[in-house]
Amino acid sequence: MRVAFIGDVHGDVAALAWALSATKDVPRRICLGDVVDGPPSGDVECVAMLQRAGLEVLQGNHDHWAAESHFVSNPQSESVRRWLAGLPRQVADGDWMAWHTRFQVVGNEVHWDYLTDEPAVRRVFESEAASVILCGHTHVPAVYRLRHGVIQVIPGRQLQVAPTVHLDEGDRVLVHIGRPTQCVVVYGDRKLSFTFRPTPRFERRFSHLLG
């Protein structure tokens, strides 16, 4: 089954609306978290949009923090907070798994990792069994492919030119989804397909992932 993945929404109603439209024909759809932490009205509307569309939603670090801090002051805030608090942090099926990013629970705190360098990516491949690992968090699309022991990076700019990545036997990949301001990703039949918005807005804090 094909599965669509949507990255960090952050209360962007227009971007989420585009992402939902772009993936409407995919049988299963998953949002990888950070639904909130934009304009309060946008946060609430994005939660409602995801609920109406029936997406699976994972908890990101901003969702976790918002659930802990009662982030919005309107009549819907308590129901939104409870919904955010109850979100799972990862899901797996067949050869793939997805999370907002690798996380560690230490006491009452949750630590969320940035998987943007080769040592961190290699540690994920060593600790997880799935051959396809999908995550958000960085806001920038990229694919790290482990092939014959070597990690190859396919950056965002290259994915715009060649948006389909075929996985050979033995390949393993860590996929950064990016934000719906930029693109969505569909996985199925050992193939990753990126769909970019007409004018994707790449974020610069991880510019080395852009290529």
Side-chain angles (χ1 to χ4, degrees):
M1 177 190 293
R2 293 187 305 141
V3 186
F5 296 91
I6 296 171
D8 302 44
V9 176
H10 286 296
D12 192 324
V13 173
L16 179 56
W18 172 82
L20 293 175
S21 176
T23 60
K24 64 181 183 299
D25 295 326
V26 182
R28 184 177 182 183
R29 297 186 291 178
I30 299 173
C31 175
L32 298 185
D34 277 8
V35 178
V36 300
D37 209 0
S41 60
D43 288 346
V44 173
E45 178 58 23
C46 285
V47 169
M49 290 168 68
L50 289 167
Q51 291 174 333
R52 288 194 299 267
L55 268 71
E56 298 171 57
V57 182
L58 304 182
Q59 186 186 76
N61 55 306
H62 287 265
D63 306 318
H64 172 70
W65 297 335
E68 294 290 309
S69 64
H70 300 257
F71 73 113
V72 287
S73 55
N74 64 55
Q76 300 181 61
S77 62
E78 183 58 24
S79 63
V80 170
R81 188 196 68 80
R82 289 196 303 270
W83 183 79
L84 294 171
L87 295 175
R89 295 195 179 118
Q90 66 183 60
V91 62
D93 190 0
D95 65 342
W96 64 264
M97 65 165 288
W99 50 17
H100 181 65
T101 189
R102 184 175 61 180
F103 61 91
Q104 303 170 61
V105 180
V106 181
N108 294 324
E109 296 185 355
V110 183
H111 299 274
W112 311 79
D113 296 337
Y114 284 105
L115 308 175
T116 58
D117 58 65
E118 182 172 325
V121 171
R122 195 172 290 276
R123 285 193 293 271
V124 171
F125 286 135
E126 291 171 351
S127 63
E128 304 299 330
S131 61
V132 179
I133 302 167
L134 303 111
C135 63
H137 200 47
T138 66
H139 295 189
V140 178
V143 175
Y144 290 82
R145 179 168 54 196
L146 179 64
R147 175 176 286 177
H148 306 305
V150 177
I151 293 178
Q152 307 165 334
V153 183
I154 306 174
R157 296 296 187 197
Q158 184 175 335
L159 290 167
Q160 281 189 272
V161 176
T164 301
V165 179
H166 294 273
L167 306 184
D168 292 344
E169 185 176 354
D171 282 357
R172 301 185 67 196
V173 289
L174 175 72
V175 184
H176 289 280
I177 301 301
R179 291 192 62 195
T181 52
Q182 300 155 176
C183 64
V184 294
V185 180
V186 175
Y187 175 65
D189 298 323
R190 299 291 289 171
K191 180 176 69 176
L192 294 160
S193 301
F194 286 76
T195 299
F196 286 88
R197 293 186 75 182
T199 309
R201 179 176 61 83
F202 287 114
E203 299 192 19
R204 291 293 170 185
R205 57 184 181 145
F206 293 106
S207 58
H208 63 285
L209 299 180
L210 294 176

